[in-house]
Amino acid sequence: MISQDEAEASVHSEPRQLPTAWGGFRWVGSKIYSGLETAGEYVADFLGLNDSHYQWAIDEYMKRKEEEEELAAEAEAEERARIAELEEGE
């Protein structure tokens, strides 16, 4: 004879099974949802909704920063050339 503790343990350890029809509806629903989610991502990409709203400002900032770095490098190179000329003349 099975004790009450063993019976409760066996009842609680068994996974709950979904009815076949409900499982089918759930499977179909998940497939439809994932398909619509994928289609939504493609539509958003096509319409440009995933792009940064202020991307133009970011691009302009990066362009100016590169120009300033180039000017600073040119000025430093000119300064080195002047110093080298002065040292050679002495």
Side-chain angles (χ1 to χ4, degrees), residues 3-5 14-15 18 21 25 27-28 34 37-38 40-41 50 53 58 65 77-78 80 86-88 90:
S3 69
Q4 187 176 0
D5 292 334
E14 294 176 11
L18 293 174
F25 287 131
W27 181 81
V28 169
S34 66
E37 186 176 17
T38 302
E41 288 178 11
N50 291 339
H53 186 67
I58 296 169
K65 185 176 177 183
E78 289 175 6
R80 284 187 199 154
L86 290 174
E87 289 177 349
E88 288 177 5
E90 292 179 0

Side-chain angles (χ1 to χ4, degrees), residues 6-66:
E6 291 175 354
E8 287 179 11
S10 67
V11 168
H12 292 298
S13 65
E14 294 176 11
R16 205 172 138 191
Q17 297 289 327
L18 293 174
T20 305
W22 177 248
F25 287 131
R26 191 172 176 191
W27 181 81
V28 169
S30 69
K31 294 299 178 183
I32 290 172
Y33 178 78
S34 66
L36 290 174
E37 186 176 17
T38 302
E41 288 178 11
Y42 283 116
V43 170
D45 285 339
F46 178 75
L47 296 176
L49 299 175
N50 291 339
D51 295 338
S52 174
H53 186 67
Y54 296 103
Q55 187 63 43
W56 61 270
I58 296 169
D59 293 341
E60 184 66 27
Y61 170 76
M62 295 303 288
K63 181 180 173 183
R64 286 185 184 179
K65 185 176 177 183
E66 288 176 6

